[in-house]
Amino acid sequence: MFTTRPTLQGTFGMVSSTHWLASQSAMAVLEDGGNAFDAAVAAGFVLHVVEPHLNGPAGEVPIILAPEGEEVRVLCGQGCAPAGATVAHYRSLGLELVPGTGPLAAAVPGAFDAWMLLLRDHGTKPLADVLKYAIGYAEDGHAPVERVGETVETVRELFETEWPSSAEVYLPGGVPPRPGELFRNPALAATWRRLLAEAESAAADGSRVALIEAAREVWRGGFVAEALVRQAGRPTMDTSGERHVGTLSADDLRGWSASYEDPVTYDWNGWTLCKAGGWSQGPAFLQQFALLPRNIAELPAYGSAEYVHLLVEGCKLAMADREAWYGDAGEDVPVRELLSVEYNALRRRLVGDKASYRLRPGAPGGRTPRLSAHADAVASGETAGNDTWGGTAAAGAGEPTVAGDGGTRGDTCHIDIVDRWGNMLSATPSGGWLQSNPVVPELGFPLGTRLQMAWLEEGLPNSLTPGRRPRTTLSPSLALKDGVPVLAFGTPGGDQQDQWQVHFFLGVALRDAVRGGPDLQGAIDAPNWHTESFPGSFHPRGMHPGSLAVESRTDPEVVDELRRRGHDVVVGGAWSEGRLCAVARDPRSGVLSAAANARGMQGYAVGR
């Protein structure tokens, strides 16, 4: 079949990310003798510089890693709610939802510490060696992609009237970043140089690990922490139309660290699919596979209307369960029951020939599902926020994603890497966007806004609760075949991540191989779609029942049949759905593969 690019193949190392400079920086680390984990840290920090509208150091990153010969692990870089972030406090301010921007939406920053733990525990390179690429692009400049300047224009008035520290970085002389002209962030470069210098001075023995530990201390207890807390305490205009201060404190920063945990897994037709737990969106991906026919031969023809209908209706059921059951609530999140054969046999019966317009969470283990009052309201059309397709979100609110009409509002970031030794990793950095909070003047980057995903209602798995992680949409993936890691993949896209990834993975698993390896590029390039038939995860948290956005490359006969089945189909741009990345390794031959999405015109795979 026609593809936009070849599926790359080689034996030394493969990198795929959402920006070519991050991909090539990671490849440079591999060429310099580093492993996949060293390379991922370098790429992650470069993404903070070149995709500042999509992620930043004070954001978050879940990572799924498979060190060669070891068990698959999840490294959680999702920070928790600060001690002062209670439902009662936010309600006392007259809020019904956590604002989509501003310091009230800021969780404890998680990305930096997660990258540090990855480098400390699984990398081989000194911190300065992996940070030098980001420092160089921030200090000497890079030619920004168009979306950076376009994003700045959407928040120009806010920057010029309310967030002057952001205007200083992103509107110097009143001019936003422009393609073909060097854009610099000297404050960010200075932050990393100072952090390295202070870490070097504080490291007891000067070893690689000691320097990383010292850098972590500078972040959570030194000048970085002090600047973040000062910023959180500044009254800041947010999506509520009011100025608020945040709740982030020095104790919050000092008391949190990234952590490791086991992945949630599901076995499907010889594959073992690995995701982060119920504090993430990840299990919704697994639920969609649990809802598919147990016999792979019973699946409808790939890309047919029946196939799309089956996947969309399964997605609606999984996302309804996400709304009722997911969160950082320990045993109250019944992931095992949600993936059980018995539960999915019952849920599968709900998929009929016609599109469903209802939000239908299940009752795993006989439990009674409970939706937030807001989710109930938007599902029944009782609130003005029930249709996000028209762009009702305030400028800067929420995670950039793809609108229901197929128009692009941006994305987040993604990185997949496999090296010559067989180490494999999938990571989805996000949050801390330039449009989320004012730039911290002393640091050159803003706080994040992930708390907007938690509900201001007590007693829910995803209620705003001090010390708990807000349920995130970030959802990297890793797949094993016969117990061996063979495929790492993921995509930006908020609520769409675990819709686009299902179709991608089926494209790899069901379609013919190319040149003896998986046709990763073909699976990425295949026309994709998404639905918003459930409450959105980002402010203003609306939904569009029965919605289905498809790319214009979709067969018109398929579109007609989907409409006949009752789907509210909107045909978007030819390349409007998804920004997938993927790498693979054949354990028998050692051949490595990689591919990247052409949508957005900035994702690239490299390797040899």
Side-chain angles (χ1 to χ4, degrees), residues 218-488:
V218 173
W219 174 273
R220 62 189 178 196
F223 79 95
V224 176
E226 292 169 0
L228 292 173
V229 171
R230 276 195 301 274
Q231 184 63 45
R234 293 186 175 109
T236 301
M237 179 65 71
D238 60 37
T239 53
S240 72
E242 303 289 337
R243 296 180 182 85
H244 292 113
V245 298
T247 61
L248 185 68
S249 71
D251 288 343
D252 294 320
L253 284 160
R254 184 164 289 284
W256 185 87
S257 67
S259 58
Y260 293 96
E261 58 189 58
D262 292 330
V264 176
T265 63
Y266 184 75
D267 292 331
W268 184 80
N269 285 283
W271 295 84
T272 298
L273 305 172
C274 302
K275 283 288 196 175
W279 55 269
S280 80
Q281 180 176 262
F285 174 86
L286 305 180
Q287 281 192 253
Q288 290 173 78
F289 281 92
L291 285 163
L292 292 178
R294 300 291 293 172
N295 183 352
I296 194 171
E298 296 177 8
L299 280 173
Y302 177 89
S304 66
E306 186 180 2
Y307 168 91
V308 177
H309 173 79
L310 180 67
L311 296 189
V312 171
E313 293 305 298
C315 171
K316 293 174 185 177
L317 294 174
M319 292 302 193
D321 279 343
R322 183 194 75 172
E323 290 307 303
W325 299 111
Y326 289 21
D328 188 15
E331 294 180 0
D332 290 335
V333 183
V335 173
R336 181 175 297 179
E337 289 91 341
L338 291 169
L339 294 173
S340 69
V341 172
E342 297 78 12
Y343 178 75
N344 285 282
L346 293 173
R347 296 287 276 169
R348 204 174 292 123
R349 297 173 189 171
L350 297 177
V351 178
D353 291 333
K354 294 292 187 179
S356 170
Y357 278 58
R358 295 170 50 211
L359 191 66
R360 300 179 290 176
R367 299 170 175 86
T368 301
R370 181 184 169 195
L371 297 171
S372 70
H374 181 86
D376 265 335
V378 297
S380 61
E382 295 174 2
T383 174
N386 70 329
D387 187 349
T388 60
W389 285 31
T392 58
E399 182 170 59
T401 184
V402 174
D405 60 4
T408 301
R409 295 199 297 263
D411 295 296
T412 181
C413 305
H414 190 78
I415 306 165
D416 295 309
I417 304 178
V418 61
D419 64 27
R420 54 185 157 157
W421 300 287
N423 298 303
M424 186 176 287
L425 169 143
S426 180
T428 309
S430 187
W433 314 293
L434 67 85
Q435 64 273 27
S436 65
N437 256 306
V439 166
V440 184
E442 306 93 323
L443 303 178
F445 59 84
L447 286 164
T449 54
R450 192 61 58 171
L451 290 187
Q452 68 184 284
M453 306 195 70
W455 295 114
L456 296 183
E457 184 177 343
E458 301 284 7
L460 301 169
N462 192 30
S463 297
L464 181 67
T465 306
R468 281 189 181 180
R469 295 165 287 191
R471 193 271 301 153
T472 182
T473 52
L474 305 177
S475 193
S477 302
L478 199 141
L480 290 68
K481 197 75 179 287
D482 300 321
V484 179
V486 296
L487 178 65

Side-chain angles (χ1 to χ4, degrees), residues 389 402-409 530 532 549-550 570-577:
W389 285 31
V402 174
D405 60 4
T408 301
R409 295 199 297 263
H530 82 271
E532 294 180 4
V550 303
V570 173
V571 178
W575 298 93
S576 56
E577 295 286 329

Side-chain angles (χ1 to χ4, degrees), residues 58-74:
E60 45 275 328
V61 57
I63 303 168
I64 302 183
L65 59 149
E68 197 281 325
E70 300 181 25
E71 296 294 318
V72 176
R73 297 286 278 167
V74 171

Side-chain angles (χ1 to χ4, degrees), residues 127-218:
L127 179 56
D129 282 8
V130 295
L131 274 181
K132 66 183 181 182
Y133 305 94
I135 292 172
Y137 287 126
E139 195 167 63
D140 301 328
H142 68 281
V145 296
E146 289 183 4
R147 286 294 297 162
V148 178
E150 291 170 357
T151 302
V152 172
E153 284 292 353
T154 67
V155 286
R156 173 187 284 272
E157 182 179 355
L158 179 67
F159 282 13
E160 292 178 337
T161 61
E162 295 284 346
W163 297 5
S165 60
S166 296
E168 184 175 346
V169 174
Y170 291 105
L171 285 167
V175 179
R178 293 175 175 173
E181 297 181 5
L182 289 180
F183 174 72
R184 298 176 174 85
N185 188 343
L188 179 57
T191 294
W192 298 142
R193 288 196 180 281
R194 181 178 174 183
L195 180 138
L196 287 170
E198 292 192 9
E200 187 173 346
S201 297
D205 59 12
S207 67
R208 191 185 75 89
V209 169
L211 281 165
I212 294 170
E213 284 299 309
R216 295 178 71 204
E217 284 301 310
V218 173

